[in-house]
Amino acid sequence: MLINELIIKKRDGNALSDIEIKHIITLYTKGELEDYQMSALLMAIYFKGMTDKETNALTQAMLNSGETIDFSYLKGKKIDKHSTGGVGDKVSLILAPIMASLNIYNPMIAGRGLGHTGGTLDKLEAIPGFNINLSMEEFKKNVAEIGASIIGQSKEIAPADKKLYALRDVTGTVASMPLITASIMSKKLAEGIDGLVMDIKVGDGAFMKNKMDARKLAKSIINTGKLAKKNVVVMLTDMEQALGLKIGNWLEIEECLDSLQGRGPADLLEITHGLAALMILLSGKEKDLKKAYDLSVKSISSGQAYLKFLEMAKAQGAELEYLKNPQNMKKATYKIEFFAPKNAYLKISSALKLGQLNVLIGGGRLKISDRIDPIVGIEIFHKVGDKIKKGEKIASVFYNLEELKSEINDRLKNCFEFSSKIVRKRKLILEVLK
Amino acid sequence: MLINELIIKKRDGNALSDIEIKHIITLYTKGELEDYQMSALLMAIYFKGMTDKETNALTQAMLNSGETIDFSYLKGKKIDKHSTGGVGDKVSLILAPIMASLNIYNPMIAGRGLGHTGGTLDKLEAIPGFNINLSMEEFKKNVAEIGASIIGQSKEIAPADKKLYALRDVTGTVASMPLITASIMSKKLAEGIDGLVMDIKVGDGAFMKNKMDARKLAKSIINTGKLAKKNVVVMLTDMEQALGLKIGNWLEIEECLDSLQGRGPADLLEITHGLAALMILLSGKEKDLKKAYDLSVKSISSGQAYLKFLEMAKAQGAELEYLKNPQNMKKATYKIEFFAPKNAYLKISSALKLGQLNVLIGGGRLKISDRIDPIVGIEIFHKVGDKIKKGEKIASVFYNLEELKSEINDRLKNCFEFSSKIVRKRKLILEVLK
């Protein structure tokens, strides 16, 4: 099996066999297939796609390139949620303790932020002491005892994915449905879960810019899930504007703490409970969607989810003082505020531009080696459709580098557009597919 | 200028600017652009193509990655011929001395065979002592004094092409019109020539399988020539059957010697004189095609071309004894013959299959590091359209590895097809474009 011939086979639009795909991934993981051949193959896959059968074979090969976690000894169901990434998307941090409080196991291997989208691990690391690099044994113990744990992708889990993702990132081959599918699913299947709820973000702040592409990815993920005999439900949610009212790693932790204590913004809670309800259905704990939703709401109102969050954080080394008294956290040095220029309706609050602004001030990274400033961020005070009076505060930017002042000022006003006509509120949950 | 962004630009079907292309090739030549990014870009070019302007920029960047030869001090015109490669194509070895005998300079940087197609350098190296690795100074001296010299691509000439070709060869990105064009033209323009005649082979034994693709490549090469202010003429010639009657490195030298002494097969001479006539027109030595053709014919009948061949070979270290007495060359150990199974017309004599058979017995290579056995080869006794009697000899295979016997037998008969109905002779020269 000459690799060059397999590249040509794919280049010419033919499907690779399961054995061929396994061969490719095995060699690549062992370092016996050159990056330059893999990147040519990835570009051919970008153009020619993969059948569901190929995508499944790729997922399985990547999954089997490393260890998989065995949770079969736990009695309850293991359900996870994954998001394709957005701006202000801190849902995982609220969902995991909700699930744990309902005795549904939620083992979660999460990712870092790249570009304008944030990452769950970066948010957790904004909590002093929080350790996302647990050993497999610690992770399994925490999931078993607490019900939830969130860690990074260790070198044992799907190493082929780790290597492939780094290569895709620098060769223009990230935006390929089968490659995205296999990357997500190989990691999620390694978690030893029974079911998965996917949150596919749609809009200018998301990876999928329109519903058509989002549906394609949904279909690809659902089919791969089916072939792996896992229940997968997909929710398409809006990412034209940021989720919640805070963007930036520690600011988002603050918003999670508020949400877990019943003071969360409506949009964030609607998405969180919507996803939670689907996870509860998948777990079999409840069969009625409305009742499942109520279970999630109650988990917060009873304080159970908040306690579970503290328990999970403590088990991963967090200094609880900051979680109990977030006002004690160090603040960013500078603040810039932006006020409404006229009486109007908020028409656009660009998730993409706000996410990029957050990267500019150090809250995100352009390349994987960039360092993050956990304290900086953006607070917004309105959602699209809100009626706003002239001079009302629209957003605040908290930052530490004085020299950025004028660029922040320039960019900040460009994040928003106003209209004198009534603007409809954006629909948050667009579709559910399974 | 981030390379990843340039890959995405091409992937999305946009044209790269001259500066971007130059930047890419400069970095790549210096080893500052990774192979894995280049191969992804090459695959994107494979799918999205390049405009004539891009192809020209690529050609110039590759040309300028190394040295160019300055022959401007020579009074006469410098004209070269290049073939896209075929089976039994030994035309260059006859053309170079013809040109030299007519006082037209023919500096030729030639290539090796790969896959089922042969290479001029491999044929020359079948001559004991022949050195294709001359220094630039020796090459220039031989061209100036003798009129012709054939050498390999030294590291000084278009190093970017050498590096790129090696990468394309293992990443499924050879078959791309702009990449083929830039590869050929960067080397040919480095020769310091005034004009170029391209022989684009068409058919199952050629790189271009049909006239449509061949015309596209012709157009691409002619346009690149124009932008570089060089006269380029393209001839499309048939490669459904092998050229001449001998395939294999030393066997082809024998056939060249025969041809230069007036005993060559008709098809080989027709193509040779046809290409020579175009080269003579380009040189300005003659304006009438028929008269130019006659000049080439006369160069052989007068014995001048043969003497020039010996002169060129001697200057490159060849042991003339074997050229003057080719019967003294060592013979292959084994021979298998194939005879006509019935009275019939020869319908197919597959250049591709004969070329592949020649590779099997060691006369060609599958990868650049394979070693060649110069003595092995195939002799054929008929051309498509010939009327053949049952039991007449169709082909002989000369080989050195006894264990190949049964596979040779199996493959040999599959190279040929017969018909009871009259079969038309194949047209050799299909089109001339400029």
Side-chain angles (χ1 to χ4, degrees):
Chain A
M1 232 183 294
L2 278 172
I3 298 302
N4 190 35
E5 285 168 17
L6 298 180
I7 298 172
I8 290 173
K9 189 173 177 184
K10 176 44 69 186
R11 183 198 77 187
D12 293 347
N14 300 304
L16 300 174
S17 73
D18 292 8
I19 290 169
E20 288 166 343
I21 289 169
K22 194 178 170 184
H23 179 65
I24 288 167
I25 295 301
T26 304
L27 288 184
Y28 189 60
T29 309
K30 286 197 281 183
E32 292 171 10
L33 191 156
E34 299 286 352
D35 279 337
Y36 56 75
Q37 290 189 308
M38 184 53 92
S39 65
L41 178 63
L42 293 171
M43 188 59 87
I45 291 170
Y46 174 89
F47 280 104
K48 291 294 181 175
M50 282 185 138
T51 64
D52 284 344
K53 187 166 174 293
E54 283 179 289
T55 306
N56 181 54
L58 180 61
T59 304
Q60 294 294 333
M62 283 162 63
L63 169 64
N64 293 321
S65 71
E67 290 175 20
T68 55
I69 304 171
D70 183 7
F71 277 126
S72 59
Y73 65 94
L74 294 178
K75 268 189 206 152
K77 293 286 185 183
K78 284 76 63 181
I79 312 289
D80 192 16
K81 186 235 41 164
H82 184 78
S83 158
T84 54
V87 179
D89 181 6
K90 66 278 287 174
V91 170
S92 290
L93 282 65
I94 313 173
L95 265 183
I98 291 176
M99 289 303 117
S101 77
L102 296 169
N103 297 315
I104 298 165
Y105 295 107
N106 185 356
M108 188 182 289
I109 295 172
R112 298 205 174 271
L114 195 60
H116 69 277
T117 61
T120 297
L121 298 180
D122 300 321
K123 291 167 198 181
L124 286 171
E125 286 189 333
I127 304 170
F130 200 107
N131 177 19
I132 56 99
N133 296 310
L134 301 187
S135 71
M136 273 301 126
E137 285 318 303
E138 290 170 308
F139 178 62
K140 285 174 75 170
K141 181 169 166 284
N142 287 358
V143 170
E145 291 178 1
I146 303 164
S149 184
I150 307 180
I151 58 166
Q153 184 182 359
S154 70
K155 66 182 190 307
E156 292 89 3
I157 299 293
D161 172 66
K162 213 165 182 174
K163 208 174 158 188
L164 272 174
Y165 193 86
L167 185 63
R168 284 166 61 205
D169 192 38
V170 293
T171 57
T173 50
V174 168
S176 155
M177 297 287 170
L179 297 180
I180 296 168
T181 301
S183 175
I184 293 172
M185 294 302 281
S186 62
K187 276 174 293 193
K188 292 291 136 181
L189 296 177
E191 291 172 344
I193 52 174
D194 301 300
L196 175 69
V197 174
M198 270 297 302
D199 179 6
I200 299 189
K201 301 280 181 204
V202 187
D204 101 315
F207 202 66
M208 301 290 130
K209 302 296 177 194
N210 56 64
K211 271 200 242 180
M212 208 178 68
D213 283 348
R215 282 195 202 110
K216 264 191 218 164
L217 180 59
K219 194 173 158 292
S220 174
I221 285 175
I222 290 167
N223 288 341
T224 305
K226 270 188 193 142
L227 289 169
K229 299 192 172 60
K230 302 286 174 193
N231 286 315
V232 179
V233 183
V234 177
M235 191 180 256
L236 307 192
T237 64
D238 182 61
M239 191 35 70
E240 283 290 327
Q241 62 184 332
L243 192 57
L245 296 169
K246 292 185 176 180
I247 302 162
N249 296 291
W250 173 254
L251 290 179
E252 295 192 42
I253 295 291
E254 282 182 355
E255 194 166 52
C256 287
L257 292 167
D258 282 342
S259 301
L260 286 161
Q261 292 171 91
R263 303 186 300 266
D267 63 333
L268 176 58
L269 289 172
E270 182 182 338
I271 300 271
T272 303
H273 292 310
L275 291 164
L278 294 177
M279 292 172 81
I280 294 166
L281 291 188
L282 278 188
S283 79
K285 189 181 178 74
E286 181 54 71
K287 282 180 180 165
D288 178 74
L289 186 66
K290 177 73 182 67
K291 286 184 185 162
Y293 195 97
D294 291 343
L295 276 180
S296 176
V297 171
K298 211 166 151 190
S299 156
I300 285 187
S301 62
S302 67
Q304 293 298 312
Y306 176 64
L307 292 176
K308 271 292 173 192
F309 181 78
L310 295 181
E311 194 182 348
M312 179 181 86
K314 189 179 174 196
Q316 296 194 230
E319 297 176 26
L320 293 193
E321 180 210 334
Y322 293 103
L323 295 178
K324 290 179 180 165
N325 307 292
Q327 68 281 4
N328 291 349
M329 186 63 128
K330 196 179 69 178
K331 298 276 180 297
T333 315
Y334 306 102
K335 177 163 86 166
I336 288 177
E337 297 184 311
F338 173 64
F339 301 95
K342 56 179 180 182
N343 289 332
Y345 292 89
L346 184 57
K347 189 180 165 193
I348 288 177
S349 168
S350 167
L352 176 62
K353 288 179 183 168
L354 287 165
Q356 288 170 335
L357 179 54
N358 186 48
V359 171
L360 174 75
I361 60 179
R365 53 169 80 79
L366 284 178
K367 47 182 202 299
I368 211 75
S369 56
D370 288 348
R371 280 192 68 121
I372 276 185
D373 182 345
I375 296 300
V376 301
I378 305 164
E379 187 169 1
I380 52 182
F381 298 92
H382 290 285
K383 294 270 132 183
V384 169
D386 283 4
K387 189 176 179 179
I388 294 160
K389 287 201 187 111
K390 181 176 174 179
E392 215 174 323
K393 191 164 22 168
I394 302 300
S396 300
V397 178
F398 303 93
Y399 66 108
N400 282 320
L401 296 168
E402 199 181 3
E403 65 269 28
L404 293 175
K405 186 176 176 181
S406 74
E407 190 170 356
I408 294 171
N409 259 316
D410 287 348
R411 291 223 206 175
L412 185 55
K413 50 177 170 265
N414 280 322
C415 293
F416 304 98
E417 281 182 37
F418 301 90
S419 166
S420 51
K421 290 181 199 150
I422 289 184
V423 174
R424 255 207 271 181
K425 302 230 171 239
R426 296 194 64 82
K427 198 176 166 189
L428 291 174
I429 296 177
L430 309 174
E431 276 172 37
V432 173
L433 302 97
K434 53 188 147 191
Chain B
M1 233 184 294
L2 277 173
I3 298 303
N4 191 34
E5 287 169 14
L6 298 180
I7 297 171
I8 289 172
K9 188 174 178 184
K10 176 45 67 185
R11 183 199 77 186
D12 292 347
N14 301 304
L16 300 173
S17 72
D18 290 9
I19 290 169
E20 288 166 343
I21 289 170
K22 194 178 170 185
H23 179 65
I24 289 167
I25 296 301
T26 304
L27 288 185
Y28 190 60
T29 309
K30 285 197 282 184
E32 292 170 12
L33 190 157
E34 299 286 353
D35 278 338
Y36 55 73
Q37 291 189 307
M38 184 54 92
S39 65
L41 177 62
L42 293 172
M43 188 58 88
I45 292 171
Y46 175 89
F47 280 105
K48 290 296 180 173
M50 282 185 139
T51 64
D52 283 344
K53 187 166 173 295
E54 283 180 288
T55 307
N56 182 52
L58 181 60
T59 304
Q60 293 295 332
M62 284 162 65
L63 170 64
N64 293 322
S65 72
E67 291 175 21
T68 55
I69 304 172
D70 182 8
F71 276 126
S72 58
Y73 65 94
L74 293 179
K75 269 190 207 153
K77 293 287 185 181
K78 284 76 62 181
I79 311 291
D80 193 15
K81 185 233 46 161
H82 184 78
S83 158
T84 54
V87 179
D89 181 7
K90 67 279 286 174
V91 170
S92 291
L93 283 65
I94 312 174
L95 265 182
I98 290 177
M99 287 304 117
S101 77
L102 295 170
N103 297 315
I104 298 166
Y105 294 107
N106 186 354
M108 188 181 288
I109 296 172
R112 297 204 175 272
L114 195 59
H116 69 278
T117 61
T120 297
L121 297 180
D122 299 321
K123 292 168 198 182
L124 286 172
E125 286 189 334
I127 302 170
F130 200 106
N131 178 17
I132 56 99
N133 295 310
L134 300 187
S135 72
M136 273 302 127
E137 285 318 302
E138 289 170 309
F139 178 62
K140 285 174 74 169
K141 181 168 166 284
N142 286 358
V143 171
E145 291 179 2
I146 302 165
S149 184
I150 308 180
I151 59 168
Q153 185 181 358
S154 71
K155 66 181 191 308
E156 292 90 3
I157 298 292
D161 171 67
K162 211 164 184 175
K163 211 175 156 188
L164 273 174
Y165 194 86
L167 185 63
R168 287 166 59 205
D169 191 41
V170 293
T171 56
T173 50
V174 168
S176 155
M177 297 284 171
L179 297 179
I180 297 169
T181 300
S183 175
I184 293 173
M185 293 302 281
S186 63
K187 276 174 293 192
K188 291 291 139 181
L189 295 177
E191 292 172 343
I193 52 174
D194 301 299
L196 175 68
V197 174
M198 272 295 303
D199 179 6
I200 299 187
K201 301 280 181 202
V202 187
D204 102 317
F207 202 65
M208 301 290 129
K209 301 296 179 195
N210 57 63
K211 269 199 242 181
M212 209 177 66
D213 284 347
R215 282 195 202 109
K216 266 192 216 162
L217 179 59
K219 194 174 157 292
S220 174
I221 285 175
I222 290 168
N223 288 342
T224 305
K226 269 188 195 142
L227 289 170
K229 299 192 172 60
K230 303 286 174 192
N231 286 316
V232 179
V233 183
V234 177
M235 192 180 256
L236 307 192
T237 64
D238 182 63
M239 191 36 68
E240 284 289 328
Q241 63 183 330
L243 191 57
L245 296 169
K246 291 185 175 180
I247 303 163
N249 296 291
W250 173 255
L251 289 179
E252 295 192 41
I253 294 292
E254 283 182 355
E255 194 168 52
C256 287
L257 292 167
D258 281 342
S259 300
L260 286 162
Q261 293 172 90
R263 302 186 301 267
D267 64 334
L268 177 59
L269 288 171
E270 183 183 336
I271 300 270
T272 302
H273 292 311
L275 291 165
L278 293 177
M279 293 172 81
I280 294 166
L281 289 190
L282 278 188
S283 78
K285 191 181 175 74
E286 181 55 71
K287 282 178 180 166
D288 179 75
L289 185 67
K290 178 72 182 67
K291 284 183 186 162
Y293 195 97
D294 289 345
L295 276 180
S296 176
V297 171
K298 212 166 149 188
S299 156
I300 287 187
S301 62
S302 67
Q304 292 299 313
Y306 176 63
L307 292 176
K308 273 291 172 192
F309 182 78
L310 295 182
E311 196 182 345
M312 179 182 86
K314 189 180 172 196
Q316 297 194 229
E319 297 177 26
L320 293 193
E321 180 210 334
Y322 293 103
L323 296 178
K324 289 179 181 165
N325 307 291
Q327 70 280 4
N328 290 349
M329 187 63 128
K330 197 179 67 178
K331 298 275 180 298
T333 315
Y334 305 102
K335 179 163 84 165
I336 288 178
E337 297 184 311
F338 174 64
F339 301 94
K342 57 180 179 181
N343 289 333
Y345 292 88
L346 183 57
K347 189 181 166 193
I348 288 177
S349 168
S350 167
L352 175 63
K353 289 179 183 167
L354 287 165
Q356 288 169 334
L357 180 53
N358 187 47
V359 171
L360 174 76
I361 60 178
R365 54 169 78 78
L366 284 178
K367 46 181 202 298
I368 210 75
S369 56
D370 287 348
R371 280 192 66 123
I372 276 185
D373 182 344
I375 295 301
V376 300
I378 305 163
E379 187 169 1
I380 51 182
F381 298 92
H382 290 285
K383 293 271 130 181
V384 168
D386 283 3
K387 189 174 180 180
I388 293 159
K389 287 199 185 112
K390 181 177 175 178
E392 215 173 323
K393 190 162 24 167
I394 301 300
S396 301
V397 177
F398 304 94
Y399 66 108
N400 282 320
L401 296 167
E402 199 181 1
E403 64 269 29
L404 293 175
K405 186 177 177 181
S406 75
E407 191 170 354
I408 293 171
N409 259 317
D410 287 348
R411 290 224 204 174
L412 185 55
K413 51 177 169 266
N414 280 321
C415 294
F416 303 97
E417 282 182 37
F418 301 89
S419 167
S420 52
K421 289 182 200 149
I422 288 184
V423 174
R424 256 207 268 179
K425 301 230 170 239
R426 296 194 63 83
K427 198 177 165 188
L428 291 174
I429 297 177
L430 308 174
E431 276 172 37
V432 174
L433 302 97
K434 54 186 147 191

